[in-house]
Amino acid sequence: MERELQHLKQQIKEKVRHSFLLQHIDNPEIDEYKLYFLQQILNKTTLAPKVKEQLIITTMLVQIALDIHEQIPDYKGEQGPSINVESQLSILAGDYYSGLYYYLLAEIEEREYITVLATAIKHINELKMELYYLNDYTIENYLNIKKEIQITLIKYIADHVRVTEELPVMAELLLLNYMIHTNDIFVEIDKQSVLEAQVNKTKGMLEGLQVEDGYKQNLVKILHTIVYQHTALEMD
């Protein structure tokens, strides 16, 4: 499994490698947790190995594109500075990586997944707009939308292949990882207690999860790794 993950990660790196873009923007990061979750979901299907591999790669390309767009500074109002060259290139890079998934899925004649991913992207953008104009700004509402943004791509794939049992736990793990690494002012206000509540909630869900022991142990390890990352960041 580890070799398969490393192979997938290498394939994704090769797809995003673009000499001109990488001269001006940071090397795109690959969310290894989302990669692992996609692999686990699709390994439970009867899809051909090549189709599974391309579907994972294309979904992660879309995720990378969304992440790049998310990192572009948000200047509200007419007084904000003009968008700089790096931001313009980031927008183009996001569009470039996103556009690759059309080509890769068409190449293996899996056009139905183009619709699945396009619908997921639309939903994510709607969630971001909902967050942007959120009126009932409580930490619970804020994090619920963030959680849905984190899991949406995986959820649409999982729903399509009808492998959905672990989605709630995956969503909580991804939210916890986001909370640890975010600099959102809204989360920072009471970050320690919010993180503690999220860890306890995720532990409880993992204890009640009915899956094979090996997979459950891997999910527990992911939780421990995320918590350890938080501890390491706090020490730094």
Side-chain angles (χ1 to χ4, degrees):
M1 184 180 298
E2 183 62 29
R3 285 196 300 271
E4 184 181 343
L5 279 170
Q6 291 304 316
H7 170 73
L8 287 167
K9 192 174 179 180
Q10 186 58 38
Q11 291 293 308
I12 296 166
K13 285 182 177 180
E14 289 178 6
K15 295 297 182 185
V16 301
R17 188 175 293 124
H18 190 294
S19 58
F20 174 73
L21 288 174
L22 295 182
Q23 288 175 20
H24 301 278
I25 65 171
D26 293 335
N27 198 24
E29 292 186 11
I30 299 171
D31 190 319
E32 295 188 4
Y33 299 130
K34 291 179 181 177
L35 176 60
Y36 174 70
F37 293 156
L38 280 168
Q39 180 205 36
Q40 288 299 310
I41 288 169
L42 291 174
N43 278 349
K44 294 183 179 181
T45 71
T46 58
L47 292 171
K50 180 65 175 177
V51 173
K52 286 191 287 189
E53 179 178 299
Q54 290 292 72
L55 186 52
I56 291 171
I57 291 170
T58 53
T59 304
M60 292 306 299
L61 286 174
V62 172
Q63 184 64 62
I64 288 169
L66 291 168
D67 291 343
I68 289 174
H69 283 161
E70 189 71 16
Q71 293 165 9
I72 297 168
D74 177 25
Y75 300 121
K76 296 181 182 179
E78 296 180 0
Q79 302 304 315
S82 300
I83 189 167
N84 58 29
V85 174
E86 287 75 15
S87 293
Q88 292 179 46
L89 286 170
S90 293
I91 293 170
L92 290 173
D95 292 342
Y96 170 74
Y97 297 140
S98 183
L100 278 177
Y101 88 86
Y102 288 103
Y103 171 75
L104 293 173
L105 290 178
E107 190 177 44
I108 57 172
E109 298 184 350
E110 291 293 333
R111 293 174 179 83
E112 62 182 302
Y113 287 104
I114 293 176
T115 302
V116 173
L117 289 172
T119 306
I121 294 168
K122 177 177 177 290
H123 188 192
I124 288 170
N125 287 331
E126 289 170 348
L127 288 167
K128 289 180 179 179
M129 291 297 294
E130 182 180 346
L131 194 65
Y132 193 82
Y133 292 107
L134 188 64
N135 291 321
D136 187 8
Y137 223 78
T138 65
I139 187 66
E140 183 179 4
N141 288 342
Y142 180 82
L143 291 179
N144 280 337
I145 297 174
K146 282 293 185 179
K147 177 170 62 178
E148 195 169 352
I149 290 172
Q150 291 293 313
I151 196 65
T152 290
L153 273 182
I154 295 173
K155 181 180 183 299
Y156 270 76
I157 296 295
D159 286 343
H160 190 74
V161 298
R162 297 175 182 171
V163 180
T164 60
E165 184 180 4
E166 300 92 3
L167 278 176
V169 170
M170 291 176 178
E172 299 300 337
L173 286 166
L174 291 175
L175 176 62
L176 178 60
N177 188 53
Y178 167 79
M179 290 165 64
I180 285 172
H181 291 94
T182 186
N183 293 318
D184 283 2
I185 296 175
F186 201 60
V187 176
E188 292 288 342
I189 293 172
D190 194 16
K191 190 168 187 174
Q192 194 59 42
S193 63
V194 173
L195 279 175
E196 185 177 339
Q198 181 63 24
V199 169
N200 290 333
K201 178 181 179 180
T202 309
K203 281 183 178 177
M205 294 180 69
L206 279 169
E207 288 172 1
L209 189 62
Q210 300 297 317
V211 294
E212 62 172 297
D213 289 341
Y215 181 38
K216 189 170 184 176
Q217 288 173 6
N218 284 341
L219 293 176
V220 171
K221 286 179 182 177
I222 288 174
L223 174 61
H224 290 167
T225 301
I226 292 172
V227 173
Y228 174 78
Q229 286 175 342
H230 171 58
T231 305
L233 287 171
E234 287 291 297
M235 290 175 65
D236 289 342

